[in-house]
Amino acid sequence: GRVCSDEFINELRSRGVTIGNHTYFYGPTSTVVDTAKPWLVTIGSYCKISGDVKILAHDTGKSVLIMAYHDNVGGSAPCVIGNNVFIGMGATILMGSQIGDNCIIGAGAVVKGIIPDNSVVAGNPGKVICSLQEYYNKRCEKVVKEAVSCVKHSLKYRGKLPTVTEMGDGFAWLYLPRNEYTLEKYSKFFHLKGESQKEMEEYFMNSTGKWNSYEEFLEYAKQCIDDETKH
């Protein structure tokens, strides 16, 4: 059967990899964690690791040097991933990397070296493109436009408005009322992989939405779509 995240983590720990609590692998069957020297790999708590990710602590380029120079000068170095780190799909973390706490590593990034706390990294070679605060500010700006674009897409291609459930947990905090009914009806929005449901519910109840209800948001979205059509 398919390996689940917990089984994968237990197997890695049994081999000697250090992994904190509440860390989750989204694609354990496609993810490679280097266990040549498992004690060199350390992954913190509350990390989310996508599929097709490679986390390496050694390099076998030495094999070419052995043939060319008849000398063995190979290659391993610790790989350390901090707490509360998201690693996007297809990223590669090379040996010698030290990723700080509260970092986002973009899909397909190739990371080597020291990444400071609170950084967002993208590209090959992976570079810090902005701070976590800057990324948060950008997401706050974009999230409303993205929510409207999802409504527009649904109307255009399906001829109907999306439901709250179809819009998902990522937009829910914009418009769902902060009350017990919401927590009960949409409990799966607060039961996310690797997160504490109690904490998620607390954060939600202590936050403020942009609209008082989904219906209010839909009115806004329809108005935006009408305005676009006129211009």
Side-chain angles (χ1 to χ4, degrees):
R2 283 183 65 79
V3 179
C4 72
S5 178
D6 287 346
E7 285 171 7
F8 188 53
I9 288 171
N10 289 339
E11 186 200 325
L12 291 171
R13 282 177 178 155
S14 73
R15 291 187 181 196
V17 176
T18 300
I19 302 175
N21 299 320
H22 306 290
T23 282
Y24 191 88
F25 287 86
Y26 287 101
T29 53
S30 64
T31 293
V32 174
V33 176
D34 191 346
T35 53
K37 292 181 183 173
W39 54 278
L40 287 178
V41 178
T42 300
I43 300 169
S45 298
Y46 291 98
C47 292
K48 306 286 182 301
I49 298 167
S50 302
D52 287 322
V53 167
K54 319 282 185 290
I55 298 170
L56 307 175
H58 84 290
D59 170 9
T60 314
K62 66 175 184 175
S63 62
V64 176
L65 301 178
I66 288 169
M67 292 304 292
Y69 298 102
H70 307 157
D71 193 6
N72 188 348
V73 284
S76 37
C79 184
V80 179
I81 296 166
N83 300 310
N84 192 31
V85 172
F86 171 75
I87 301 179
M89 195 167 271
T92 301
I93 316 301
L94 296 170
M95 73 176 206
S97 298
Q98 289 185 35
I99 299 173
D101 296 339
N102 309 318
C103 287
I104 294 171
I105 309 298
V110 178
V111 178
K112 184 161 190 181
I114 295 172
I115 305 298
D117 293 350
N118 307 306
S119 297
V120 179
V121 172
N124 178 6
K127 295 265 194 301
V128 176
I129 56 167
C130 65
S131 70
L132 194 67
Q133 182 69 53
E134 287 164 337
Y135 179 75
Y136 175 64
N137 295 345
K138 277 186 216 166
R139 289 303 310 139
C140 289
E141 275 173 35
K142 285 181 179 176
V143 68
V144 171
K145 284 181 189 166
E146 289 170 355
V148 171
S149 75
C150 291
V151 173
K152 185 180 174 184
H153 183 86
S154 183
L155 285 169
K156 182 176 177 181
Y157 290 99
R158 307 194 303 170
K160 63 177 184 178
L161 292 164
T163 64
V164 171
T165 304
E166 285 173 333
M167 288 289 279
D169 71 275
F171 295 127
W173 294 36
L174 288 172
Y175 42 66
L176 285 186
R178 271 60 179 167
N179 57 35
E180 290 299 324
Y181 176 77
T182 295
L183 297 183
E184 204 174 300
K185 183 167 185 191
Y186 300 106
S187 65
K188 72 172 190 178
F189 285 176
F190 307 97
H191 187 67
L192 303 178
K193 293 176 171 72
E195 304 290 352
S196 150
Q197 182 158 356
K198 189 169 173 289
E199 281 180 4
M200 288 291 286
E201 289 176 351
E202 271 175 31
Y203 298 154
F204 172 73
M205 293 296 271
N206 290 323
S207 66
T208 46
K210 232 172 153 43
W211 293 275
N212 295 313
S213 68
Y214 187 54
E215 291 66 36
E216 259 187 39
F217 159 71
L218 286 178
E219 286 309 312
Y220 169 83
K222 284 187 267 188
Q223 189 60 57
C224 289
I225 294 162
D226 285 350
D227 291 348
E228 263 181 52
T229 319
K230 283 173 194 161
H231 291 112

